[in-house]
Coordinates of all heavy atoms in Angstrom, one line a residue:
M136 N 118.6 97.1 94.0 CA 117.2 97.2 94.4 C 116.6 95.8 94.8 O 115.6 95.8 95.5 CB 116.4 97.7 93.1 CG 115.0 98.1 93.5 SD 115.0 99.5 94.5 CE 114.1 100.6 93.5
R137 N 117.3 94.7 94.5 CA 116.8 93.4 94.9 C 116.7 93.3 96.5 O 115.7 92.8 97.0 CB 117.7 92.3 94.4 CG 117.3 91.0 94.8 CD 118.2 89.9 94.2 NE 117.9 88.6 94.7 CZ 117.4 87.7 94.0 NH1 117.2 87.9 92.7 NH2 117.0 86.5 94.5
G138 N 117.7 93.9 97.2 CA 117.6 93.9 98.6 C 116.4 94.7 99.2 O 115.8 94.3 100.1
W139 N 116.1 95.8 98.5 CA 114.9 96.6 98.9 C 113.7 95.8 98.7 O 112.8 95.8 99.5 CB 114.9 97.9 98.0 CG 113.7 98.7 98.2 CD1 112.8 99.0 97.3 CD2 113.4 99.4 99.4 NE1 111.8 99.8 97.8 CE2 112.2 100.1 99.1 CE3 113.9 99.5 100.6 CZ2 111.5 100.9 100.0 CZ3 113.2 100.3 101.6 CH2 112.1 101.0 101.3
T140 N 113.5 95.1 97.6 CA 112.3 94.3 97.3 C 112.2 93.2 98.3 O 111.1 92.9 98.9 CB 112.4 93.7 95.9 OG1 112.5 94.8 95.0 CG2 111.2 92.9 95.6
K141 N 113.3 92.5 98.7 CA 113.3 91.5 99.7 C 112.9 92.0 101.1 O 112.2 91.4 101.8 CB 114.6 90.8 99.7 CG 114.9 89.9 98.5 CD 116.3 89.3 98.5 CE 116.5 88.4 99.7 NZ 117.9 87.8 99.6
S142 N 113.4 93.2 101.4 CA 113.1 93.8 102.7 C 111.6 94.2 102.7 O 111.0 94.0 103.8 CB 113.9 95.1 102.9 OG 115.2 94.8 103.0
L143 N 111.0 94.7 101.7 CA 109.6 95.0 101.7 C 108.8 93.7 101.8 O 107.8 93.7 102.5 CB 109.2 95.8 100.4 CG 109.7 97.2 100.3 CD1 109.3 97.8 98.9 CD2 109.1 98.0 101.4
D144 N 109.2 92.7 101.1 CA 108.5 91.4 101.3 C 108.6 90.9 102.7 O 107.6 90.4 103.2 CB 109.1 90.3 100.3 CG 108.8 90.6 98.9 OD1 107.9 91.4 98.6 OD2 109.5 90.1 98.0
A145 N 109.8 91.0 103.3 CA 109.9 90.5 104.7 C 109.1 91.3 105.7 O 108.6 90.8 106.7 CB 111.4 90.6 105.1
A146 N 108.9 92.6 105.4 CA 108.1 93.5 106.2 C 106.6 93.3 106.0 O 105.7 93.9 106.7 CB 108.4 94.9 106.0
G147 N 106.2 92.5 104.9 CA 104.8 92.3 104.6 C 104.1 93.4 103.8 O 102.9 93.5 103.8
V148 N 104.9 94.2 103.2 CA 104.4 95.3 102.3 C 104.2 94.7 100.9 O 105.1 94.5 100.2 CB 105.4 96.5 102.3 CG1 104.8 97.6 101.4 CG2 105.7 97.0 103.7
R149 N 102.9 94.4 100.6 CA 102.6 93.7 99.3 C 101.9 94.6 98.3 O 102.0 94.3 97.1 CB 101.8 92.5 99.6 CG 102.5 91.6 100.6 CD 102.8 90.2 100.0 NE 103.4 89.3 101.1 CZ 104.7 89.2 101.3 NH1 105.5 89.9 100.7 NH2 105.1 88.4 102.2
E150 N 101.1 95.5 98.8 CA 100.3 96.3 97.9 C 101.1 97.3 97.0 O 102.0 97.9 97.6 CB 99.3 97.2 98.7 CG 98.2 96.4 99.4 CD 98.8 95.9 100.8 OE1 99.8 96.4 101.2 OE2 98.2 95.0 101.4
P151 N 100.9 97.3 95.7 CA 101.8 98.2 94.9 C 101.8 99.6 95.3 O 102.8 100.3 95.3 CB 101.1 98.0 93.5 CG 100.4 96.7 93.5 CD 99.9 96.6 95.0
G152 N 100.7 100.2 95.7 CA 100.6 101.6 96.1 C 101.4 101.8 97.4 O 102.1 102.8 97.5
L153 N 101.3 100.9 98.3 CA 102.1 101.1 99.5 C 103.6 100.9 99.3 O 104.4 101.6 99.9 CB 101.6 100.0 100.6 CG 102.0 100.2 102.0 CD1 101.7 101.6 102.5 CD2 101.3 99.2 102.9
R154 N 103.9 100.0 98.4 CA 105.3 99.8 98.0 C 105.9 101.1 97.4 O 107.0 101.5 97.7 CB 105.5 98.6 97.1 CG 105.3 97.3 97.8 CD 105.3 96.1 96.9 NE 106.7 95.6 96.7 CZ 107.3 94.6 97.3 NH1 106.6 94.0 98.2 NH2 108.5 94.3 97.0
A155 N 105.1 101.7 96.6 CA 105.5 102.9 95.9 C 105.7 104.0 97.0 O 106.7 104.8 96.9 CB 104.5 103.4 94.8
D156 N 104.8 104.1 97.9 CA 104.9 105.1 99.0 C 106.2 104.8 99.8 O 106.9 105.8 100.1 CB 103.7 105.0 100.0 CG 102.4 105.5 99.3 OD1 102.5 106.2 98.3 OD2 101.4 105.2 99.9
H157 N 106.5 103.6 100.1 CA 107.7 103.3 100.9 C 109.0 103.7 100.0 O 110.0 104.2 100.6 CB 107.8 101.8 101.2 CG 107.1 101.4 102.5 ND1 105.8 101.3 102.5 CD2 107.6 101.1 103.7 CE1 105.5 100.9 103.8 NE2 106.6 100.8 104.5
D158 N 108.9 103.4 98.7 CA 110.0 103.8 97.9 C 110.3 105.3 97.8 O 111.4 105.7 97.9 CB 109.8 103.2 96.5 CG 111.0 103.3 95.6 OD1 112.1 102.9 96.1 OD2 110.9 103.6 94.4
R159 N 109.2 106.1 97.7 CA 109.3 107.5 97.7 C 109.9 108.0 99.0 O 110.8 108.9 99.1 CB 108.0 108.2 97.4 CG 107.6 108.2 96.0 CD 106.4 109.1 95.7 NE 105.2 108.7 96.4 CZ 104.4 107.7 95.9 NH1 104.6 107.2 94.7 NH2 103.3 107.4 96.6
Q160 N 109.4 107.5 100.1 CA 109.9 107.9 101.4 C 111.4 107.5 101.6 O 112.2 108.3 102.1 CB 109.1 107.2 102.6 CG 109.5 107.7 103.9 CD 109.3 109.1 104.2 OE1 108.4 109.8 103.6 NE2 110.2 109.7 105.0
R161 N 111.8 106.3 101.1 CA 113.2 105.9 101.2 C 114.1 106.8 100.4 O 115.1 107.2 100.9 CB 113.3 104.5 100.6 CG 114.7 104.0 100.5 CD 114.7 102.6 99.9 NE 116.0 102.1 99.6 CZ 116.5 101.8 98.4 NH1 115.7 101.9 97.4 NH2 117.7 101.3 98.3
R162 N 113.7 107.2 99.2 CA 114.5 108.2 98.5 C 114.6 109.5 99.2 O 115.7 110.1 99.2 CB 113.9 108.4 97.1 CG 114.1 107.2 96.2 CD 113.8 107.5 94.7 NE 112.5 108.0 94.5 CZ 111.4 107.3 94.1 NH1 111.5 106.0 93.9 NH2 110.3 107.9 94.0
A163 N 113.5 110.0 99.8 CA 113.5 111.3 100.5 C 114.5 111.2 101.7 O 115.3 112.1 101.9 CB 112.1 111.7 100.9
V164 N 114.4 110.2 102.5 CA 115.3 110.0 103.6 C 116.7 109.9 103.2 O 117.7 110.5 103.8 CB 114.9 108.8 104.5 CG1 115.9 108.5 105.6 CG2 113.5 109.1 105.1
R165 N 117.0 109.1 102.1 CA 118.3 108.9 101.6 C 118.9 110.2 101.2 O 120.1 110.4 101.4 CB 118.3 107.9 100.5 CG 119.6 107.4 100.0 CD 119.5 106.4 98.9 NE 118.8 106.9 97.8 CZ 118.2 106.1 96.9 NH1 118.3 104.8 97.0 NH2 117.5 106.6 95.9
R166 N 118.1 111.1 100.6 CA 118.7 112.4 100.1 C 118.9 113.3 101.3 O 119.9 114.1 101.4 CB 117.7 113.0 99.1 CG 117.8 112.5 97.8 CD 117.1 113.4 96.8 NE 115.7 113.6 97.2 CZ 114.7 112.9 96.8 NH1 114.8 111.9 96.0 NH2 113.4 113.2 97.2
F167 N 117.9 113.4 102.3 CA 118.0 114.4 103.3 C 118.9 114.0 104.5 O 119.6 114.8 105.0 CB 116.5 114.6 103.8 CG 116.4 115.6 104.9 CD1 116.7 116.9 104.7 CD2 116.1 115.2 106.2 CE1 116.6 117.9 105.7 CE2 116.0 116.1 107.2 CZ 116.3 117.5 107.0
R168 N 118.8 112.7 104.9 CA 119.6 112.2 106.1 C 120.4 111.0 105.7 O 120.2 109.9 106.1 CB 118.7 111.9 107.2 CG 118.0 113.0 107.9 CD 118.9 113.7 108.8 NE 118.2 114.7 109.6 CZ 118.7 115.5 110.4 NH1 120.0 115.5 110.6 NH2 118.0 116.4 111.0
R169 N 121.4 111.2 104.9 CA 122.2 110.1 104.3 C 122.8 109.3 105.5 O 122.8 108.1 105.5 CB 123.3 110.6 103.4 CG 124.1 109.6 102.8 CD 123.6 109.2 101.4 NE 124.5 108.3 100.8 CZ 124.1 107.3 100.1 NH1 122.8 107.0 100.0 NH2 124.9 106.4 99.5
T170 N 123.3 109.9 106.5 CA 124.0 109.2 107.6 C 123.0 108.4 108.4 O 123.3 107.2 108.7 CB 124.7 110.2 108.5 OG1 123.8 111.2 109.0 CG2 125.9 110.9 107.9
A171 N 121.8 108.9 108.6 CA 120.8 108.1 109.4 C 120.4 106.9 108.5 O 120.2 105.8 109.0 CB 119.6 109.0 109.7
Y172 N 120.2 107.1 107.2 CA 119.8 106.1 106.3 C 120.8 104.9 106.3 O 120.5 103.8 106.5 CB 119.6 106.6 104.9 CG 119.4 105.6 103.8 CD1 118.2 105.0 103.7 CD2 120.5 105.2 103.0 CE1 118.0 104.1 102.7 CE2 120.3 104.3 102.0 CZ 119.0 103.7 101.8 OH 118.8 102.8 100.9
L173 N 122.1 105.3 106.2 CA 123.2 104.3 106.2 C 123.3 103.6 107.5 O 123.7 102.4 107.6 CB 124.5 104.9 105.7 CG 124.5 105.4 104.3 CD1 125.8 106.2 104.0 CD2 124.3 104.3 103.3
A174 N 123.1 104.3 108.6 CA 123.3 103.7 109.9 C 122.2 102.7 110.2 O 122.4 101.7 110.9 CB 123.3 104.8 111.0
A175 N 121.0 103.0 109.8 CA 119.8 102.1 110.1 C 119.9 100.8 109.4 O 119.5 99.7 109.9 CB 118.5 102.8 109.7
R176 N 120.5 100.7 108.2 CA 120.6 99.5 107.4 C 121.2 98.3 108.2 O 120.6 97.3 108.2 CB 121.3 99.8 106.1 CG 120.5 100.7 105.2 CD 121.2 100.9 103.9 NE 121.1 99.7 103.1 CZ 121.8 99.5 102.0 NH1 122.4 100.5 101.5 NH2 121.7 98.3 101.4
P177 N 122.4 98.5 108.7 CA 123.0 97.3 109.4 C 122.5 97.1 110.8 O 122.6 96.0 111.4 CB 124.5 97.6 109.4 CG 124.6 99.1 109.4 CD 123.4 99.5 108.6
L178 N 121.8 98.1 111.4 CA 121.4 98.0 112.8 C 120.0 97.3 113.0 O 119.8 96.7 114.0 CB 121.4 99.4 113.5 CG 122.8 100.0 113.6 CD1 122.7 101.4 114.1 CD2 123.7 99.2 114.4
L179 N 119.1 97.5 112.0 CA 117.8 97.1 112.2 C 117.5 95.8 111.3 O 118.0 95.8 110.2 CB 116.8 98.2 111.9 CG 116.9 99.4 112.7 CD1 116.0 100.5 112.2 CD2 116.5 99.1 114.2
P180 N 116.7 94.9 111.8 CA 116.4 93.7 111.0 C 115.4 94.1 109.9 O 114.7 95.1 110.0 CB 115.7 92.8 112.0 CG 115.2 93.6 113.1 CD 116.2 94.8 113.2
A181 N 115.4 93.4 108.8 CA 114.6 93.7 107.6 C 113.2 93.9 107.9 O 112.6 94.9 107.4 CB 114.8 92.6 106.6
P182 N 112.5 93.1 108.8 CA 111.1 93.4 109.0 C 110.8 94.8 109.7 O 109.8 95.4 109.5 CB 110.6 92.3 109.9 CG 111.6 91.2 109.7 CD 112.9 91.9 109.4
C183 N 111.8 95.3 110.4 CA 111.6 96.6 111.1 C 112.0 97.8 110.2 O 111.5 98.9 110.3 CB 112.5 96.7 112.3 SG 112.0 95.5 113.6
C184 N 112.9 97.6 109.3 CA 113.4 98.7 108.5 C 113.8 98.2 107.1 O 114.9 97.9 106.8 CB 114.7 99.2 109.2 SG 115.4 100.7 108.3
P185 N 112.8 98.2 106.2 CA 113.1 97.8 104.8 C 113.9 98.9 104.1 O 113.5 99.9 103.7 CB 111.7 97.7 104.2 CG 110.8 98.5 105.0 CD 111.4 98.6 106.4
T186 N 115.2 98.6 104.1 CA 116.1 99.6 103.5 C 116.8 99.0 102.3 O 117.4 98.0 102.3 CB 117.1 100.1 104.5 OG1 117.8 99.0 105.1 CG2 116.5 100.9 105.6

């Protein structure tokens, strides 16, 4: 989870509510589209895709 926290920081996501929203969305995408989730991680820079 440390990488996730660093990615959110790099993206400028600081508000607790917004961070929680990002976390919920991340879990939903990870469950529904695992291949897309895994493909985006190495391809996009942290500020564009906090994964």
Side-chain angles (χ1 to χ4, degrees):
M136 193 66 122
R137 181 180 173 110
W139 174 244
T140 301
K141 288 173 64 176
S142 294
L143 288 177
D144 290 343
V148 180
R149 306 245 183 265
E150 297 83 15
L153 193 54
R154 288 175 86 96
D156 291 343
H157 274 79
D158 194 40
R159 279 192 297 276
Q160 183 63 31
R161 175 181 174 239
R162 285 192 306 263
V164 170
R165 190 176 57 198
R166 282 191 307 266
F167 181 68
R168 291 279 190 188
R169 182 98 174 134
T170 55
Y172 171 79
L173 294 173
R176 293 181 68 187
L178 296 175
L179 298 174
C183 294
C184 184
T186 56

